[in-house]
Amino acid sequence: MVRLWHKVVHDLRILPDEGVCVEALHTAGREGLPDLAMDVLATLRNMGIALGEQHFAPIIEAFCKKGNLKEAFAVLSTVRECGINPSTETAHPIFSYIRANEDLLDAAWEALEALHENGTPIEITSINVIIQACIALGDLQRAVGTYQLCSELGLRPNVETFNFLLSGAIATQHRELGERVVEYMKETGVSPDSQTYERLVVLCLQGETYEDAFF
């Protein structure tokens, strides 16, 4: 399929429209064909199409299907280079892949360390998706540990980082952790959003003393 795309676009010089390119990207993502995905992305760039997150998510999915976490994380940095703030939704294929077991969590962290050692900028979204996977696997301690390692990669947590930690506190009914997360937010100067308050209310309602939910 990669050869077919290359023949049509490069040899026959037939330029598909954006709709065809998007469909090709989704096919590449589903089938685990990162080479095709990157070729289609190059075609979109040559066409002068303004790239968005919807163009990068299938590429991340394709790399995950091939088990190449390092390149999947690297795509998030490419998204930033294009002037786009990579979101958790764009990184969702990574979460879906690494949530399967702890070995894949190890592989994800090793991939980030390798990128960092090579001088590739790391996105906080990458840390957030690992925290999200830790919580999905019920490993709250590892989720907190991942947060605490942000500084090693030169990263500053954002509000999503803390919201995921609060979700973990809710899942385990760990109110003390929720209070620690609030302190972490104050220390780092990150402002809460509506989801933060929603999670704090839910956490307060889980205990016998629920007056703090009203506060």
Side-chain angles (χ1 to χ4, degrees):
M1 193 164 185
V2 178
R3 288 198 295 268
L4 176 60
W5 181 270
H6 192 275
K7 182 176 181 60
V8 170
V9 175
H10 299 284
D11 297 342
L12 299 179
R13 299 186 183 279
I14 298 175
L15 202 61
D17 61 23
E18 183 180 3
V20 172
C21 289
V22 170
E23 288 300 321
L25 278 175
H26 287 305
T27 299
R30 286 194 307 270
E31 302 301 323
L33 301 170
D35 291 341
L36 173 61
M38 296 300 290
D39 206 358
V40 175
L41 187 70
T43 301
L44 286 168
R45 280 178 165 155
N46 292 336
M47 292 166 60
I49 301 296
L51 298 178
E53 286 192 87
Q54 71 275 14
H55 298 121
F56 290 98
I59 301 175
I60 294 174
E61 182 182 8
F63 278 120
C64 288
K65 289 283 179 67
K66 294 290 286 186
N68 193 335
L69 283 170
K70 183 178 176 181
E71 291 301 327
F73 282 123
V75 173
L76 294 175
S77 298
T78 303
V79 173
R80 173 73 66 184
E81 291 170 2
C82 292
I84 305 167
N85 185 26
S87 67
T88 305
E89 287 75 19
T90 304
H92 186 75
I94 300 176
F95 164 71
S96 297
Y97 179 63
I98 65 176
R99 68 178 297 183
N101 57 64
E102 292 191 356
D103 288 340
L104 289 175
L105 282 178
D106 291 336
W109 186 257
E110 289 170 3
L112 286 186
E113 287 185 322
L115 288 172
H116 182 62
E117 290 173 2
N118 291 339
T120 302
I122 306 298
E123 289 297 318
I124 188 60
T125 306
S126 301
I127 291 291
N128 292 347
V129 79
I130 292 178
I131 291 175
Q132 186 184 15
C134 289
I135 292 168
L137 286 168
D139 196 340
L140 190 58
Q141 183 176 356
R142 185 165 188 166
V144 175
T146 301
Y147 155 73
Q148 293 173 334
L149 290 172
C150 281
S151 58
E152 290 191 8
L153 299 177
L155 295 174
R156 182 176 183 270
N158 61 14
V159 68
E160 280 194 330
T161 312
F162 298 110
N163 285 345
F164 281 131
L165 290 174
L166 287 173
S167 295
I170 291 170
T172 55
Q173 298 188 14
H174 199 319
R175 182 166 174 176
E176 181 183 347
L177 173 61
E179 293 171 354
R180 281 164 50 199
V181 171
V182 172
E183 291 302 316
Y184 292 153
M185 294 187 76
K186 292 177 180 178
E187 291 170 2
T188 54
V190 174
S191 300
D193 62 9
S194 59
Q195 290 188 348
T196 310
Y197 288 116
E198 178 185 356
R199 284 163 171 74
L200 287 172
V201 168
V202 172
L203 191 60
C204 290
L205 291 175
Q206 287 182 334
E208 294 180 3
T209 305
Y210 54 82
E211 285 80 1
D212 284 347
F214 294 102
F215 172 76

